[in-house]
Amino acid sequence: MPPTPVVTVTRRLTFNAAHRLHNPALSEEENRALYGKDNNPRGHGHNYTLEVSVAGEVDARTGYVIDLGRLRRIVQEHVIDRLDHRHMNADVDFLSGINPTSENVVVACWQLLEPCVGPGRLTRLRLYETENNYVEYEGQ
């Protein structure tokens, strides 16, 4: 019997959010030197794009790894609705006490999404902070 194909599917969603990059363990001067304009006390915003990739065997009955509508609903509920039009430092519970760099945000999103996408497995999150800058996370 031939092996069941493993396929990766990806869904892209967007959200707008503000943040301030600031490490409270550093002085104000160190924070300004390290983060520059991203350390603005009132924060600054981005139009983020999040790509969520799930891999798995193609289901013989449905032909899907995961229904992309279901994946959209999962990401919308667990991530987008909690981040969109929010200030990540002040308004987002799952980022409480975390410096909201793109690196930290993508890891926090992984922790929310990874348990929800079965029977496939989360294989990659790609978070675009700008058109030219993004971070990727593929789990541990």
Side-chain angles (χ1 to χ4, degrees):
M1 183 164 216
T4 306
V6 174
V7 177
T8 301
V9 296
T10 301
R11 177 73 189 203
R12 179 182 294 153
L13 295 98
T14 60
F15 64 94
N16 303 24
H19 66 163
R20 178 188 188 202
L21 301 185
H22 184 83
N23 181 341
L26 302 176
S27 70
E28 291 298 323
E29 296 77 27
E30 289 171 310
N31 273 290
R32 278 193 299 275
L34 181 60
Y35 299 116
K37 65 182 180 179
D38 294 341
N39 184 247
N40 180 339
R42 293 189 180 183
H44 64 283
H46 295 283
N47 300 318
Y48 290 92
T49 299
L50 179 64
E51 293 179 357
V52 180
S53 297
V54 176
E57 295 181 356
V58 177
D59 181 273
R61 186 175 68 78
T62 65
Y64 293 151
V65 170
I66 185 172
D67 179 309
L68 286 171
R70 176 176 167 248
L71 181 58
R72 179 194 53 78
R73 289 187 298 275
I74 290 167
V75 178
Q76 188 73 40
E77 175 185 343
H78 293 280
V79 174
I80 305 301
D81 288 347
R82 296 168 74 183
L83 288 171
D84 195 33
H85 290 88
R86 303 284 194 274
H87 195 295
M88 289 191 266
N89 302 77
D91 302 329
V92 179
D93 60 345
F94 69 89
L95 294 174
S96 180
I98 297 171
N99 191 6
T101 62
S102 290
E103 294 88 340
N104 286 333
V105 172
V106 80
V107 170
C109 290
W110 181 282
Q111 293 167 345
L112 295 172
L113 295 172
E114 195 271 334
C116 301
V117 298
R121 71 187 190 316
L122 192 60
T123 58
R124 185 185 72 217
L125 293 182
R126 180 179 286 169
L127 179 64
Y128 287 84
E129 187 176 85
T130 70
E131 180 180 304
N132 298 315
N133 299 329
Y134 67 87
V135 298
E136 288 184 342
Y137 186 60
E138 297 178 353
Q140 294 298 5

